[in-house]
Amino acid sequence: MNDTAVFSISGDKVALRRELRRRRRILSLDQQKQAAAALCQRLKQLPEIRRAKRISLYLPVNGEIDPTHLIPWLRQRKVSIYLPVLRPFSTNRLWFVAYHESTPMVKNRFGIAEPCSRFAAERRNRMPAWALDTLIVPLVGFDKQANRMGMGGGFYDRSLAFMRYQGPAPTLIGVAHACQQVATLPVEPWDIPLDVVVSDTMVIRPIKTG
Ligand SMILES: Nc1ncnc2c1ncn2[C@@H]1O[C@H](COP(=O)(O)OP(=O)(O)O)[C@@H](O)[C@H]1O
Ligand SMILES: [Mg+2]
């Protein structure tokens, strides 16, 4: 299908991540803007987004596709918006913290803006992941089965590990640029599967087996 298939066959996740991150980083500002607009058009059509009342999304860095065009539309629909925050004293786990116009923000150790620690520390500003309807999750790579490759920290896999068990669980929507698709990705036992991947050009749902 395309040249990166060779990386996944060799299982070289580090090299594959580097290549996929390069692809999105070299997109022009114009390409980024168009991709963000196309992505948000598709997201607005998605039933899982249209019925959601509590959504988590992310602020893009390093060429990630930008889902923030959704924010005014979500606010108009009275949807509560949350952002992932690096959880203190806990390895590679996330909190989901309310994102209002007035939420005080800081840059975390990855240079990503997030609600500040004092705000995030207050219980009433957080939502447990199981109580969110929908999470919009950034991807480094995806394949035609909607498998996800992240930044390599396992942040979402750890924070969503509870989804292996019965109980309330959010819909997971991975978003990425079309150029981040590869033929097949290696799936690890700890990877939490996505319900759908949306890019600027397509919507992919995994084919359920069994
Ligand atoms: N639920 C979990 N508990 C503990 N460690 C985990 C969990 N999920 C993932 N990890 C660890 O996180 C690391 C990165 O996971 P990986 O799936 O490769 O990254 P990403 O999902 O960011 O692409 C792995 O070494 C894995 O052992
Ligand atoms: Mg993973």
Side-chain angles (χ1 to χ4, degrees), residues 13 17 92-93 140 148-161 164 188 190-192:
K13 283 170 79 171
R17 276 198 186 91
N92 292 14
R93 282 173 146 271
V140 170
R148 168 179 189 265
M149 174 176 268
M151 294 282 280
F155 286 87
Y156 284 95
D157 291 328
R158 280 187 179 81
S159 308
L160 301 171
R164 300 193 175 288
E188 313 282 7
W190 57 79
D191 281 330
I192 300 295

Side-chain angles (χ1 to χ4, degrees), residues 58-142:
Y58 65 91
L59 305 181
V61 291
N62 299 324
E64 285 172 337
I65 197 161
D66 184 354
T68 62
H69 294 217
L70 272 188
I71 291 176
W73 182 79
L74 292 172
R75 290 211 203 285
Q76 208 167 37
R77 294 167 72 94
K78 307 270 183 262
V79 177
S80 303
I81 302 172
Y82 298 83
L83 286 178
V85 169
L86 302 179
R87 190 171 154 169
F89 316 117
S90 185
T91 307
N92 292 14
R93 282 173 146 271
L94 302 168
W95 268 338
F96 296 93
V97 179
Y99 183 44
H100 313 295
E101 263 142 311
S102 59
T103 299
M105 305 290 285
V106 287
K107 282 206 172 160
N108 67 24
R109 64 186 151 95
F110 299 113
I112 305 170
E114 62 175 33
C116 79
S117 54
R118 227 173 42 169
F119 185 85
E122 282 194 48
R123 196 69 176 267
R124 68 189 153 95
N125 293 327
R126 297 201 303 265
M127 190 57 66
W130 59 263
L132 292 165
D133 310 303
T134 300
L135 269 83
I136 295 179
V137 177
L139 310 177
V140 170
F142 66 99

